[in-house]
Amino acid sequence: MTAKIIDGKAFAITVRAKVADHVARLKEEHNLTPGLAVILVGQDPASQVYVRNKHKATLEVGMNSFEYKLPIDVSEQELYALIDKLNEDPQVHGILCQFPVPEHLSETDIVARISPAKDVDGLHVINAGLLATGQRAMVSCTPLGCLMLLRDHYGSLSGKTAVVVGRSNLVGKPLAQLLLRDSCTVTIAHSRTKDIEAVCRAADIVIAAIGRPEMITSDWIKDGATVIDVGINRIAAPEKGAGKMKLVGDVDFASVSPKAGAITPVPGGVGPMTIACLLANTLTACSRANGLPEPVGLSA
Ligand code: NDP
C-alpha cells in the first residue's frame, strides 16, 4: 500500500480562494474590508520573511494589511501603546505579533494585551478557555489547518482514535481540543509518555508536532492510519551538495508512507494551511465584529 498524499498546498489554495470570495462579498454588500495588523520587533531574517509572506497573502485575498516594524529595543510601554491603539481601531480585525521577540519583552504579556476578539493566532488564554469549554473561540492557525485537512479527508471524524504527539499551547493542546470537539478519542503524547510507539500504533490518526526531524518511523504507525506531520525541521542535505540544507517533518516520510493510509508531506502539507487559516481567522474576526454570519467551512 502507498499512502494517499494529503496535498495541503492545493487545499490551502482553495481556502484562500474561498476567503477572497467572502472578502469581495463583504466589500460589495457591507462596504467592509477585513484588516490584519502584523507587528514585527527587530530584524530577525526568518521573521522578516514570515511577515512579508503574510503581508503578501493578506493583500492577495483583498484584505487590508497593516505592518508595524518596531526597533529591537522598543520599550514594553511603546509596544503596548501600539497594541492598545490597534485593539480600538475598527479597521483592524486581526492583530498578531511575530514571535520570537527580544528577551526584554514577554510573549505571554504581549498575547494577553491583544483583544481576544482580534487574537487571530488563537493564543490568548480567553480563546484557549473558550476552545476548551466548547465555545466559539479564535483558534490557532496551524491546528485549524490540520483540522480542515482531516475533515476534508474523512468527512466525519466521529469515533476515530487520534494521538497528538506534542503538547505546546500553539499546536498540540489546541489541536487535541479540536479533535475532541469533533468527537475523536484523543490521546496527547509528549516527551514523558511511556512506550510512545505503542500509543501511536493504536491510533487511526497520528499527528506529529514535536520539532524532531523524522522521529516517527513506520513501526509507530498502524496499517492504513492517517499521519499529519506538523514538524518543520531544517537539516543538512549532503546529497544535494556540501553545505546544502533541506526541510523535513517530524515523520520519516520514506518509511511511513508505504504503511500509512494517508500522509501530509513536508513541505507542502500543513505549512501552507497555516497562512491560509490566518486569512480565514481574520475574515471570521471581521464577520463576528460586525455581527455578520461567519463564513461556512473556514472556522472550527
Ligand atoms: P514545542 O517545542 O513548543 O513543543 C514540542 C512538543 O514535542 C513538546 O510538547 C514536547 O514534549 C514534545 N516532544 C519533544 N521531544 C519529544 C520526544 N522525544 N518524544 C515525544 N514528544 C516530544 O513545538 P511546537 O508545538 O511549537 O512545534 C512543533 C513542530 O511544529 C516544530 O517542528 C515546529 O517548527 C512546527 N510548527 C509548524 C508550523 C506549521 O505551520 N507547519 C507552525 C508551528 C509549529 P514536552 O512538553 O514533554 O517537552
Side-chain angles (χ1 to χ4, degrees):
M1 179 168 49
T2 300
K4 177 193 163 199
I5 304 296
I6 298 179
D7 187 345
K9 197 171 166 194
F11 197 81
I13 290 171
T14 68
V15 172
R16 286 184 192 218
K18 272 193 211 168
V19 171
D21 191 48
H22 280 282
V23 170
R25 263 187 281 150
L26 274 183
K27 277 186 195 173
E28 203 177 296
E29 294 169 16
H30 302 281
N31 197 25
L32 268 174
T33 304
L36 174 66
V38 177
I39 303 170
L40 174 65
V41 182
Q43 296 187 327
D44 174 65
S47 294
Q48 283 180 323
V49 173
Y50 292 137
V51 168
R52 207 177 309 133
N53 289 344
K54 286 169 186 171
H55 174 69
K56 192 166 158 266
T58 308
L59 295 179
E60 273 169 9
V61 294
M63 294 183 183
N64 288 329
S65 170
F66 308 102
E67 266 187 9
Y68 297 89
K69 294 184 176 165
L70 305 180
I72 195 157
D73 59 352
V74 67
S75 70
E76 203 176 58
Q77 289 74 11
E78 285 169 296
L79 175 58
Y80 290 173
L82 172 60
I83 294 174
D84 292 348
K85 189 174 84 131
L86 297 173
N87 281 339
E88 294 302 318
D89 187 340
Q91 303 264 66
V92 173
H93 306 97
I95 304 170
L96 74 83
C97 184
Q98 186 67 44
F99 291 155
V101 286
E103 266 180 19
H104 69 282
L105 299 169
S106 150
E107 294 184 354
T108 309
D109 292 349
I110 292 170
V111 169
R113 195 81 183 197
I114 295 172
S115 160
K118 298 191 179 188
D119 166 39
V120 279
D121 261 345
L123 290 171
H124 196 291
V125 288
I126 296 267
N127 282 316
L130 289 170
L131 178 62
T133 50
Q135 300 180 69
R136 201 177 76 165
M138 290 306 306
V139 176
S140 185
C141 305
T142 303
L144 180 57
C146 295
L147 181 75
M148 284 185 187
L149 291 176
L150 284 168
R151 281 180 177 167
D152 183 62
H153 178 65
Y154 280 110
S156 167
L157 296 177
S158 179
K160 304 281 179 221
T161 51
V163 173
V164 180
V165 188
R167 55 175 162 177
S168 70
N169 291 332
L170 181 65
V171 187
K173 280 186 204 144
L175 188 45
Q177 294 289 356
L178 288 173
L179 294 170
L180 188 60
R181 227 161 71 162
D182 268 30
S183 300
C184 288
T185 303
V186 184
T187 302
I188 305 179
H190 45 77
S191 65
R192 308 296 169 90
T193 300
K194 294 211 170 94
D195 203 358
I196 193 166
E197 292 90 339
V199 171
C200 289
R201 228 172 11 245
D204 301 320
I205 300 167
V206 174
I207 300 176
I210 314 164
R212 306 227 179 255
E214 300 176 325
M215 190 176 100
I216 294 188
T217 51
S218 64
D219 49 336
W220 293 50
I221 302 297
K222 86 170 170 190
D223 280 336
T226 298
V227 180
I228 303 288
D229 191 352
V230 178
I232 300 179
N233 310 286
R234 194 173 290 276
I235 61 165
E239 72 278 10
K240 290 183 167 181
K244 295 283 182 198
M245 306 291 280
K246 66 176 176 184
L247 283 187
V248 297
D250 292 340
V251 175
D252 176 24
F253 187 87
S255 81
V256 170
S257 57
K259 197 172 186 193
I263 187 167
T264 58
V266 176
V270 174
M273 290 299 291
T274 298
I275 285 198
C277 287
L278 175 65
L279 304 173
N281 274 352
T282 306
L283 173 65
T284 299
C286 176
S287 305
R288 287 178 185 171
N290 289 282
L292 297 169
E294 285 184 31
V296 177
L298 292 175
S299 57

